[in-house]
Amino acid sequence: MNTQNIIGYSFLPATGKSFKAVNPSTNGQLDGDFAVATVADADAAMQLAAKAFETYRHTDAKTKAAFLRSIAEGITALGDELLNRCSAESGLPIPRLTGERGRTTGQLNMYANLLEEGSWVEAVIDTAIPDRTPLPRIDIRKMMVPIGPAVVFGASNFPMAFSVAGGDTVSALAAGCPVVVKAHPAHPGASALVAEVIMQAAKKHNLPEGVFSHLFDDGYAVGEALVKHPQTKIVTFTGSLKGGMALVKMARERDEPIPVFAEMGSINPVVLLPQALQNRAEELAKTYAESITISAGQFCTNPGLLLAVKSEGLDRFKEALAQGIANVGSATMLTAGICNNYQKLATERLGDEAVTVIRKSDKLNTENVNQALAAVSEISAADFLADEKFKEEVFGPFSILVVADDIAQLEQVLDSLQGQLTATIMAEKEELALYGEVINKLSFRAGRVILNGPPTGVEVGNAIQHGGPFPATSDSRFTSVGTGAIKRFVRPLAWQNWDNALLPDALKEGNPLGIWRLFNNEWTK
Amino acid sequence: MNTQNIIGYSFLPATGKSFKAVNPSTNGQLDGDFAVATVADADAAMQLAAKAFETYRHTDAKTKAAFLRSIAEGITALGDELLNRCSAESGLPIPRLTGERGRTTGQLNMYANLLEEGSWVEAVIDTAIPDRTPLPRIDIRKMMVPIGPAVVFGASNFPMAFSVAGGDTVSALAAGCPVVVKAHPAHPGASALVAEVIMQAAKKHNLPEGVFSHLFDDGYAVGEALVKHPQTKIVTFTGSLKGGMALVKMARERDEPIPVFAEMGSINPVVLLPQALQNRAEELAKTYAESITISAGQFCTNPGLLLAVKSEGLDRFKEALAQGIANVGSATMLTAGICNNYQKLATERLGDEAVTVIRKSDKLNTENVNQALAAVSEISAADFLADEKFKEEVFGPFSILVVADDIAQLEQVLDSLQGQLTATIMAEKEELALYGEVINKLSFRAGRVILNGPPTGVEVGNAIQHGGPFPATSDSRFTSVGTGAIKRFVRPLAWQNWDNALLPDALKEGNPLGIWRLFNNEWTK
């Protein structure tokens, strides 16, 4: 494992400060001194990215696809070294990380397929009509082109799938944007392993140097320098509201403001309808005990808010949920900081006089540190509505059940919620028609609405939407998961009256790429 | 003509301040006392828009299409009254306004067609694969849904096509977003006429009250209240950099930041290549004398910057351009403020010691006021590069020719330019291949690249892109002209494991709307 910063095809000699990775299960330091990059390094990486962009924005789809496939192969080839290092750095168990690795390589291959198929560029062609009156129509052809060098911040909670070669990097590279990754300091070793894979893959396919760089920093200076750099054209981030908004603010205050796609988490409300509670309270409780506690509750789509009208079914649900939570052993959180924050917030919530504890697990693993114990609690809708703090995310295996007196009050709670990544309704089919307003209110506030399933477990595909109204994300018009994620990194460019030979292949006469195009208002291929 | 503010289906009784429209050709006041709306009116309009949104976001495509067609019919039915009022308020001649009216009704009908065809919602469906390993795939279906109530600022330079029923309003209404228009105070009468048409059309189609409101203000208070209103979800604007950025800043500083699409103009560089200059200097000069001066140079795509390497052909171009400009009579500008600003900036530029005047027209129309005289000037590339002010737009019939010593210096000038709506290259076909870098640099900076034509005259269609990198617009990923303009007002929403009967028709099994959908990774209909 090389612990140096990467700019283009060079490992930078370590000259100054370094930091070590920490195993959150033990608080012990792991092997490796990771070189802290400098502001000058950030500048060099961005300058090289800008230079690379001049070439890479024209790199053909096949080459880009092969590049992504090589990254996937390289990650797989890292084998247990990557999984073990990831687990040591994140506290996440090997089976979860094995799944995440599959998701990561799956994303890379999915994007390779997308590029090879080619229609994602949204080619639109209106040909000339010389004899149109009162004015002739001129030939115009439009397609998506990459926006420019991207800065990607690695996320702590997905050390592979939303980190160095994660969804942001792959969609940016697929779009034709060079990427400079600011590695998350919680998993520098896993980051270093994957970064070297990307560098080698870029070399193998003779891509312009600077198409990828990778910088370490356990503080904020490098990230700030990257976001403020004039050559940076877009920034992506997954993490806290505070962290995301700090980047958004920086990006806005530049001489040239640039877009930031920040996915900042949410409480992912789940409405439990009466009939469903009556018929299958225990099954729902089992589903949610699992969804709340999976990966120590550290998913963006963790269901932090359950919502129901009081009923006998709800009482049974609570009882079964209490049992489910009681059975869940403590789990290591990603970092000591995240765990401390969880302990503090969960304790505050559970100690609030408006809140009743349904159950806090006491199955503490005393062999490891930074342990999160799952907890579910209850509050009346009236008390929930009276205090904004209950709408804030408690990052970890925690959920609060809001109990309404009636459906009108439940709707009031929905009206009070901010934007969400997901919103879920657990219902019997026959009762759904009675709750049109509930569905309406949920769908207005979320990027993805789910029927009868947990919000956790985000499918990576064409139809997924992982992005919702603020503060779930900084722009609800985009997604960070699935093939749609590429749209963050592209802009439409129109060629008017252009010479056919000089047009991009996607727009040429005769459709040499054989892609779907909107040609004179008809979709053809 | 009713001069009152409109909220939903009510004309508000005039209670307070009012203002009058001014004829810029005479500085004389026109008929009508236009009621200045209050901050309370802005609040009422937004509250009603939010209420209307609950219904309007589900309104079916046919009804929305019929609504848009009714608006177009109503505008046509206004006949000469609208054209004459528009001309009196804007100083624009009737033939130009007749064309603009055609564009305005054309946009409305184009969007009606788009809605009726239906595929614009970008339906994407990944069906369930229950036996997939390691995890089953769950059914997910995604489509575009409206983002929420929109605030549209009328633009001064298109009193119909980018005003009350202009491109922003029509694309927002088509998307399913209620619209509150802040009328531009330069043409309140034309605004009032069209606003009443929209109100009547909404009534006719039984749309929820609040789907459209229309407020007057000759100051900034109402606009500010609208942008800051919590129910506002998106803002669109066409105008100056200063005005646009003021709105962007307001929108960002809200508790819930919202997107602003601001089209803030640009200088639209035009590169004249040597062979083209040699072969057809006079023809190019004719084209550009017209493009620079059309509508008193008050188009967003006005070519404010011409760029060439010195040559004998360029000398002939300058001579012919001088003649062309000398033949152009003065024209009334949109407002006294715009005219004063033009006089001031043009005088400054022409008086700059680095600048040589190629020609300023002296054909002053002394019968009218607020007259702009066209001017073209020249500067060396070195001097241009030395002072940022030459890159700023001079709004009006003005252009500066930047003369480079060689192609390398010309490329340096291109490198120094900010984002642009358009970039143009005038070239002989056989020389294009020699200037790949020039084309590259132009296309990196612009939303639309044009070969051998003026940038003025923006086609409204599927393939048009009217939006470029900052500061041309606030977000290069969107357009304000053409069918693509609807994308500003929508966000993807995914339904996971949803009941077929409760899905929007666009996503239902069997494709009842017969639209194009990406169905299990295949485009089908």
Side-chain angles (χ1 to χ4, degrees):
Chain A
M1 183 176 63
N2 191 311
T3 60
Q4 295 166 294
N5 291 289
I6 294 173
I7 296 185
Y9 294 137
S10 301
F11 285 106
L12 301 191
T15 53
K17 285 198 302 179
S18 68
F19 70 100
K20 281 185 171 291
V22 173
N23 183 332
S25 296
T26 63
N27 280 344
Q29 290 189 333
L30 293 162
D31 284 351
D33 294 298
F34 296 91
V36 173
T38 63
V39 168
D41 296 337
D43 176 55
M46 291 316 310
Q47 296 290 0
L48 204 61
K51 184 80 192 138
F53 182 57
E54 291 177 18
T55 308
Y56 190 59
R57 68 194 176 106
H58 301 297
T59 296
D60 64 286
K62 272 191 187 164
T63 305
K64 286 191 291 185
F67 172 38
L68 300 182
R69 290 196 200 283
S70 291
I71 299 172
E73 285 160 18
I75 289 171
T76 305
L78 288 171
D80 287 347
E81 185 185 6
L82 176 61
L83 293 180
N84 291 335
R85 180 76 194 195
C86 245
S87 185
E89 290 184 334
S90 69
L92 294 168
I94 295 288
R96 141 78 202 255
L97 290 169
T98 307
E100 187 181 330
R101 182 179 61 183
R103 177 174 164 171
T104 308
T105 55
Q107 281 176 164
L108 285 153
N109 290 322
M110 178 186 77
Y111 266 101
N113 292 339
L114 188 82
L115 291 171
E116 285 163 350
E117 196 282 327
S119 303
W120 73 273
V121 299
E122 299 178 35
V124 180
I125 296 171
D126 293 333
T127 59
I129 307 178
D131 57 356
R132 188 183 66 172
T133 54
L135 290 169
R137 187 169 90 171
I138 299 168
D139 187 291
I140 307 183
R141 291 158 191 252
K142 176 170 75 166
M143 64 178 277
M144 292 296 184
V145 299
I147 202 170
V151 168
V152 169
F153 284 80
S156 66
N157 63 342
F158 279 91
M160 287 179 282
F162 262 83
S163 191
V164 182
D168 288 344
T169 299
V170 60
S171 49
L173 290 175
C177 298
V179 170
V180 177
V181 170
K182 157 68 176 65
H184 198 288
H187 52 263
S191 298
L193 289 166
V194 173
E196 189 168 350
V197 163
I198 301 178
M199 180 178 79
Q200 297 301 348
K203 258 190 200 170
K204 178 179 165 188
H205 295 284
N206 296 310
L207 296 177
E209 183 170 10
V211 76
F212 175 76
S213 293
H214 185 252
L215 302 178
F216 292 112
D217 184 8
D218 57 347
Y220 300 107
V222 168
E224 184 174 339
L226 290 172
V227 174
K228 291 184 172 174
H229 198 283
Q231 296 291 3
T232 303
K233 299 300 173 194
I234 181 160
V235 175
T236 62
F237 168 86
T238 298
S240 68
L241 180 62
K242 194 179 150 200
M245 288 310 290
L247 298 182
V248 166
K249 192 163 182 293
M250 264 178 227
R252 285 166 176 174
E253 289 170 357
R254 292 164 46 114
D255 284 345
E256 178 195 351
I258 54 171
V260 174
F261 186 85
E263 193 266 80
M264 302 177 286
S266 67
I267 55 173
N268 302 296
V270 177
V271 173
L272 309 159
L273 286 186
Q275 203 63 46
L277 281 169
Q278 180 162 349
N279 293 359
R280 46 191 175 101
E282 293 74 16
E283 180 203 325
L284 298 186
K286 186 164 177 293
T287 298
Y288 277 89
E290 191 180 319
S291 180
I292 292 164
T293 58
I294 187 170
S295 290
Q298 299 168 121
F299 283 138
C300 317
T301 54
N302 207 56
L305 178 74
L306 309 175
L307 182 53
V309 174
K310 60 188 171 189
S311 72
E312 179 272 335
L314 182 61
D315 293 338
R316 283 189 287 118
F317 171 83
K318 289 194 307 199
E319 203 172 308
L321 185 64
Q323 277 170 21
I325 293 297
N327 287 335
V328 177
S330 70
T332 307
M333 295 197 85
L334 293 159
T335 68
I338 287 173
C339 190
N340 290 342
N341 202 43
Y342 173 67
Q343 309 286 18
K344 183 171 158 282
L345 269 178
T347 305
E348 266 176 35
R349 290 288 189 282
L350 297 176
D352 193 285
E353 60 179 13
V355 172
T356 311
V357 179
I358 294 177
R359 184 63 68 98
K360 184 174 178 185
S361 165
D362 54 10
K363 284 196 158 179
L364 183 66
N365 172 346
T366 52
E367 289 176 22
N368 291 325
V369 297
N370 295 316
Q371 296 297 296
L373 285 163
V376 287
S377 58
E378 181 182 342
I379 189 170
S380 73
D383 286 336
F384 180 85
L385 287 166
D387 193 337
E388 288 294 314
K389 74 164 177 269
F390 296 116
K391 291 171 199 157
E392 286 161 24
E393 187 179 10
V394 178
F395 190 73
F398 184 91
S399 194
I400 191 160
L401 172 68
V402 179
V403 181
D405 292 334
D406 52 32
I407 200 70
Q409 199 184 29
L410 186 147
E411 288 179 11
Q412 251 188 297
V413 171
L414 294 180
D415 279 334
S416 79
L417 297 179
Q418 293 181 291
Q420 306 289 338
L421 288 169
T422 71
T424 303
I425 189 157
M426 305 298 286
E428 299 299 327
K429 277 206 174 181
E430 56 274 20
E431 69 185 322
L432 275 174
L434 305 172
Y435 295 95
E437 263 314 289
V438 170
I439 295 173
N440 243 339
K441 288 174 194 298
L442 286 175
S443 63
F444 175 61
R445 274 171 184 73
R448 182 164 54 107
V449 287
I450 299 149
L451 178 62
N452 288 329
T456 43
V458 179
E459 182 71 31
V460 180
N462 293 320
I464 193 70
Q465 170 64 10
H466 190 71
F470 186 87
T473 65
S474 52
D475 193 337
S476 66
R477 296 174 297 177
F478 297 94
T479 176
S480 58
V481 175
T483 49
I486 199 170
K487 297 195 181 185
R488 297 173 296 172
F489 300 98
V490 292
R491 64 182 181 92
L493 176 57
W495 284 259
Q496 180 170 318
N497 192 39
W498 210 254
D499 190 53
N500 188 60
L502 295 176
L503 281 169
D505 288 347
L507 298 178
K508 281 196 170 103
E509 282 299 296
N511 197 7
L513 298 182
I515 58 173
W516 284 100
R517 315 197 291 185
L518 186 62
F519 189 92
N520 288 336
N521 214 31
E522 297 284 339
W523 284 102
T524 58
K525 188 170 156 167
Chain B
M1 181 177 64
N2 191 310
T3 60
Q4 295 167 293
N5 291 289
I6 295 174
I7 295 184
Y9 294 137
S10 300
F11 285 106
L12 301 192
T15 53
K17 285 198 300 180
S18 68
F19 69 100
K20 281 186 172 290
V22 173
N23 183 332
S25 297
T26 62
N27 279 345
Q29 290 190 332
L30 293 162
D31 283 352
D33 294 299
F34 297 91
V36 173
T38 63
V39 169
D41 295 335
D43 176 56
M46 290 317 309
Q47 296 291 0
L48 203 61
K51 185 82 192 137
F53 183 57
E54 292 176 16
T55 308
Y56 190 61
R57 68 196 176 105
H58 300 297
T59 297
D60 64 284
K62 272 190 187 166
T63 305
K64 286 191 291 185
F67 173 38
L68 299 183
R69 290 196 199 283
S70 292
I71 298 171
E73 286 161 16
I75 288 171
T76 305
L78 288 171
D80 288 344
E81 184 184 7
L82 176 60
L83 293 181
N84 291 335
R85 181 76 195 193
C86 245
S87 185
E89 291 184 333
S90 68
L92 294 167
I94 295 289
R96 141 76 201 256
L97 290 168
T98 307
E100 188 182 331
R101 182 179 63 183
R103 176 174 164 170
T104 308
T105 56
Q107 282 176 164
L108 285 153
N109 291 323
M110 177 187 77
Y111 266 102
N113 292 340
L114 187 82
L115 291 171
E116 285 164 349
E117 194 281 329
S119 303
W120 74 272
V121 298
E122 299 178 36
V124 180
I125 297 172
D126 292 332
T127 59
I129 307 178
D131 57 356
R132 187 185 64 174
T133 54
L135 290 169
R137 188 169 89 171
I138 299 168
D139 187 292
I140 307 182
R141 292 160 191 250
K142 176 170 76 165
M143 64 179 276
M144 291 297 183
V145 299
I147 203 169
V151 168
V152 170
F153 284 80
S156 65
N157 63 342
F158 280 91
M160 288 180 280
F162 263 83
S163 189
V164 182
D168 289 343
T169 299
V170 59
S171 50
L173 289 175
C177 298
V179 170
V180 177
V181 170
K182 157 68 177 63
H184 198 287
H187 51 264
S191 298
L193 288 167
V194 173
E196 188 167 353
V197 163
I198 301 179
M199 180 178 79
Q200 298 301 350
K203 258 191 199 167
K204 177 179 166 189
H205 296 284
N206 297 309
L207 296 177
E209 183 171 10
V211 76
F212 176 77
S213 292
H214 185 251
L215 302 178
F216 292 112
D217 184 9
D218 57 348
Y220 299 106
V222 168
E224 184 173 340
L226 291 172
V227 174
K228 291 184 172 173
H229 199 283
Q231 295 292 3
T232 303
K233 300 299 174 195
I234 181 161
V235 175
T236 61
F237 169 86
T238 297
S240 68
L241 180 64
K242 193 179 152 199
M245 288 310 290
L247 298 180
V248 165
K249 192 163 182 290
M250 266 179 223
R252 285 168 178 174
E253 287 169 357
R254 295 164 43 114
D255 285 346
E256 179 196 351
I258 54 171
V260 174
F261 186 84
E263 194 266 81
M264 302 178 287
S266 67
I267 53 172
N268 302 295
V270 176
V271 173
L272 309 159
L273 287 185
Q275 203 65 46
L277 282 169
Q278 179 163 350
N279 293 357
R280 46 190 174 101
E282 293 73 17
E283 179 204 325
L284 299 185
K286 185 166 179 291
T287 299
Y288 277 90
E290 190 180 320
S291 180
I292 292 163
T293 57
I294 188 170
S295 289
Q298 299 168 120
F299 283 138
C300 318
T301 53
N302 208 56
L305 179 73
L306 308 176
L307 183 52
V309 174
K310 58 187 174 193
S311 72
E312 179 272 337
L314 181 61
D315 293 339
R316 283 188 286 120
F317 171 82
K318 288 195 305 198
E319 202 173 310
L321 185 65
Q323 278 170 21
I325 293 297
N327 288 333
V328 178
S330 71
T332 307
M333 295 198 85
L334 293 158
T335 69
I338 287 173
C339 190
N340 290 341
N341 203 40
Y342 174 66
Q343 310 286 18
K344 183 170 158 285
L345 269 178
T347 305
E348 265 176 36
R349 290 287 189 282
L350 297 177
D352 194 284
E353 59 178 14
V355 172
T356 311
V357 180
I358 294 178
R359 183 66 66 100
K360 187 174 177 183
S361 164
D362 54 11
K363 285 195 159 178
L364 182 65
N365 172 345
T366 51
E367 288 176 21
N368 290 323
V369 297
N370 295 314
Q371 297 297 295
L373 285 163
V376 287
S377 57
E378 181 182 341
I379 189 170
S380 73
D383 285 336
F384 180 85
L385 287 165
D387 193 336
E388 288 294 314
K389 74 164 176 271
F390 297 116
K391 293 170 198 158
E392 286 161 24
E393 186 179 9
V394 177
F395 190 73
F398 184 91
S399 193
I400 190 161
L401 171 68
V402 179
V403 180
D405 292 334
D406 51 32
I407 200 72
Q409 199 185 29
L410 187 148
E411 288 180 13
Q412 252 188 297
V413 171
L414 293 180
D415 279 335
S416 80
L417 297 179
Q418 293 182 293
Q420 306 288 337
L421 290 169
T422 71
T424 302
I425 189 159
M426 304 299 285
E428 298 300 326
K429 278 205 175 180
E430 56 273 20
E431 70 185 322
L432 275 172
L434 304 174
Y435 295 95
E437 263 315 288
V438 169
I439 296 172
N440 243 339
K441 288 176 192 297
L442 286 176
S443 63
F444 176 62
R445 276 171 182 74
R448 182 164 53 108
V449 286
I450 298 149
L451 177 63
N452 286 331
T456 43
V458 179
E459 182 69 34
V460 180
N462 293 319
I464 193 70
Q465 170 65 10
H466 191 71
F470 185 86
T473 66
S474 53
D475 193 337
S476 66
R477 296 174 297 178
F478 296 94
T479 176
S480 57
V481 175
T483 49
I486 198 170
K487 297 195 181 185
R488 297 173 296 172
F489 300 99
V490 292
R491 64 183 180 92
L493 175 57
W495 284 259
Q496 179 170 317
N497 192 38
W498 210 255
D499 191 53
N500 188 60
L502 295 176
L503 281 169
D505 288 347
L507 298 178
K508 281 196 171 105
E509 281 299 297
N511 196 7
L513 298 181
I515 59 174
W516 284 100
R517 317 197 290 186
L518 186 61
F519 188 91
N520 289 334
N521 214 30
E522 296 285 340
W523 284 102
T524 57
K525 188 170 160 168

